[in-house]
Amino acid sequence: MKTNRLNLKLLISLFLFFIISILSIYATRVFVKIELKNLYLKQIIFYFIGSCFLLFTTFKGFSLLKKYNFLIYIGINILLLSLLFFGVSINGSKCWFYIGSFSFQPSELMKISLIITLSITISKFKKKKKITRKDEFVLLLKLLTLTLIPSLLTFLEPDTGVVIIYFLILFTFFLFLKLDKVWYITFFSTLILFIGITLYLYFFKQDTFISLIGQDMFYRIDRVLFWMNSSGYQLENSLIAIASSGLFGFGYLKNPVYFPESYTDFIFTTWTSNFGFLGAIFLIFIILVFDTSILRLTLKKIILTDKYIILGIFIMLFYGQIQNIGMTIGLLPITGIPLPFISYGGTSLISYLFIIGIILNINYESIKYRN
């Protein structure tokens, strides 16, 4: 019964996400150009396609994904490399392939592939009977290499927000590996030293800093460090829309405040401005129910690989939710991370529904394992 209840919570949450997403995207019709007024119909199509992937992964696809994980990992890296040469540049970034009016973003698929590849690598390592410090070093080198390759390719697009997610997944796995404490001492000492040197060069030796990392990287770090002082038109209007929406919002389709990216990065602002503080609380409550249901699955008797996969999925979703909502209310810098299951986007939405299929599959396998 408890296992069935977990599935039910996930599926009900997904249905509510679907309703909220469509209502929010439809509400942006008052803002967007005429050619973008049917985005809500595309989102419905994406939800349908993603649901097909969800069903396939739940009953069959996940086993194939684990079996051919490394080939898939290599294939997506080739797609990331191809983007640099054949991708369409939008606002200075080559993150998408375009097929007609539809776009495809390989980095969204890489997040899933990286989680599975790292999890399988760790699981193989844990099966060793006797583990030496040299074995731990080799493992860390493998994990770092597997993360660095897509990170470099994605960074060159550039898509810094996704790179942060790659390394956040790696960092989370590293914390749960339970290795010799010398690796944790070394890591955190190196991290503190690196941050100290970076900040010193940034504040006191800017010419040297720029010559080492380049002008473009300098501006990216500048935006992260001083995002509060350079919030811009988009964030200012987002804050005005949220703050003035009151308890119940302006009313559906009656938002008087315009802000760019209302159907993607700032979808939370769109929802809140239409339905107010109570609407925002309702959405956050659903997100919490959804996330805790996923996290509780790690407490069940499941194989180690699946436990790490669930952990990686949770961190990816949780970071996306915190980052997206945080940037719309001015608590975090704007990084272009969409709100999972709510923001408009084909590849991201389909990939998120795909990973829910993985979760349901693992949950189903845990029932067989217990029985």
Side-chain angles (χ1 to χ4, degrees):
M1 286 298 292
K2 289 182 179 179
T3 304
N4 292 335
R5 206 172 294 136
L6 186 149
N7 285 348
L8 189 61
K9 284 182 179 179
L10 289 177
L11 294 175
I12 291 175
S13 298
L14 276 181
F15 178 74
L16 293 174
F17 286 154
F18 167 73
I19 298 298
I20 292 171
S21 178
I22 301 306
L23 287 175
S24 299
I25 294 171
Y26 186 85
T28 64
R29 287 166 61 88
V30 299
F31 294 140
V32 298
K33 300 176 182 178
I34 186 68
E35 61 268 22
L36 298 176
K37 289 188 181 295
N38 291 327
L39 289 180
Y40 73 98
L41 293 175
K42 285 188 176 181
Q43 188 78 341
I44 292 173
I45 294 173
F46 294 146
Y47 253 102
F48 174 75
I49 296 172
S51 297
C52 293
F53 277 100
L54 183 153
L55 291 173
F56 172 71
T57 312
T58 300
F59 298 108
K60 183 69 177 177
F62 185 42
S63 59
L64 295 174
L65 197 61
K66 287 198 289 189
K67 183 178 181 180
Y68 299 106
N69 76 93
F70 195 66
L71 289 176
I72 295 171
Y73 169 84
I74 293 173
I76 300 175
N77 273 306
I78 292 172
L79 288 176
L80 289 173
L81 179 61
S82 301
L83 269 178
L84 302 178
F85 300 98
F86 307 111
V88 177
S89 180
I90 305 293
N91 296 326
S93 298
K94 291 185 176 181
C95 300
W96 301 272
F97 289 114
Y98 277 83
I99 305 172
S101 60
F102 291 92
S103 60
F104 167 66
Q105 189 175 3
S107 60
E108 292 292 336
L109 302 181
M110 176 49 73
K111 289 187 288 188
I112 304 172
S113 179
L114 183 64
I115 289 172
I116 296 173
T117 304
L118 295 182
S119 298
I120 292 175
T121 303
I122 292 170
S123 180
K124 290 179 179 178
F125 166 80
K126 290 287 188 179
K127 288 179 181 178
K128 292 185 177 180
K129 293 182 179 180
K130 187 177 181 181
I131 297 175
T132 64
R133 192 174 290 178
K134 180 181 177 182
D135 294 327
E136 293 179 339
F137 174 75
V138 172
L139 171 69
L140 292 174
L141 194 60
K142 285 181 181 178
L143 297 180
L144 183 61
T145 303
L146 289 169
T147 306
L148 277 176
I149 294 171
S151 296
L152 178 61
L153 295 173
T154 306
F155 182 79
L156 291 174
E157 293 177 2
D159 192 346
T160 310
V162 175
V163 174
I164 292 173
I165 293 176
Y166 293 159
F167 277 99
L168 186 61
I169 293 166
L170 175 64
F171 177 69
T172 303
F173 285 173
F174 173 67
L175 291 181
F176 282 87
L177 273 174
K178 296 180 181 178
L179 302 176
D180 190 302
K181 64 181 179 181
V182 69
W183 300 117
Y184 297 99
I185 295 172
T186 302
F187 171 77
F188 286 107
S189 299
T190 304
L191 181 64
I192 292 170
L193 181 63
F194 174 78
I195 293 174
I197 293 173
T198 300
L199 292 177
Y200 171 77
L201 292 175
Y202 177 83
F203 286 108
F204 303 106
K205 301 287 184 180
Q206 290 191 355
D207 291 338
T208 304
F209 190 74
I210 292 172
S211 66
L212 288 173
I213 68 169
Q215 191 84 28
D216 181 63
M217 185 61 185
F218 175 81
Y219 285 131
R220 291 196 212 180
I221 294 176
D222 186 68
R223 286 200 301 270
V224 172
L225 292 178
F226 292 101
W227 56 275
M228 283 293 289
N229 297 331
S230 56
S231 58
Y233 169 77
Q234 190 175 23
L235 178 57
E236 288 175 4
N237 279 28
S238 172
L239 292 173
I240 291 170
I242 292 174
S244 59
S245 62
L247 194 62
F248 301 103
F250 294 108
Y252 192 54
L253 302 178
K254 295 180 181 179
N255 180 20
V257 184
Y258 169 76
F259 44 92
E261 307 299 333
S262 56
Y263 52 91
T264 51
D265 299 349
F266 283 76
I267 196 76
F268 181 78
T269 305
T270 301
W271 172 258
T272 304
S273 63
N274 279 270
F275 297 99
F277 179 75
L278 290 180
I281 293 298
F282 176 68
L283 174 55
I284 292 172
F285 174 74
I286 299 170
I287 289 173
L288 289 174
V289 171
F290 184 79
D291 288 355
T292 52
S293 298
I294 293 174
L295 193 59
R296 285 170 63 183
L297 185 55
T298 62
L299 303 177
K300 295 182 179 294
K301 292 183 178 180
I302 56 177
I303 62 174
L304 186 62
T305 302
D306 291 350
K307 189 160 290 202
Y308 272 96
I309 289 173
I310 292 292
L311 181 63
I313 289 172
F314 171 79
I315 290 299
M316 180 181 72
L317 291 174
F318 186 69
Y319 170 76
Q321 293 155 352
I322 293 293
Q323 174 61 45
N324 181 274
I325 295 175
M327 73 183 189
T328 62
I329 59 178
L331 293 179
L332 293 171
I334 298 173
T335 57
I337 298 293
L339 183 57
F341 304 104
I342 310 296
S343 293
Y344 171 80
T347 313
S348 61
L349 177 58
I350 292 170
S351 66
Y352 287 135
L353 289 169
F354 189 86
I355 62 175
I356 298 306
I358 292 175
I359 293 169
L360 294 176
N361 178 278
I362 292 173
N363 195 26
Y364 173 69
E365 291 298 323
S366 72
I367 299 173
K368 294 197 302 184
Y369 183 86
R370 285 166 52 190
N371 292 337

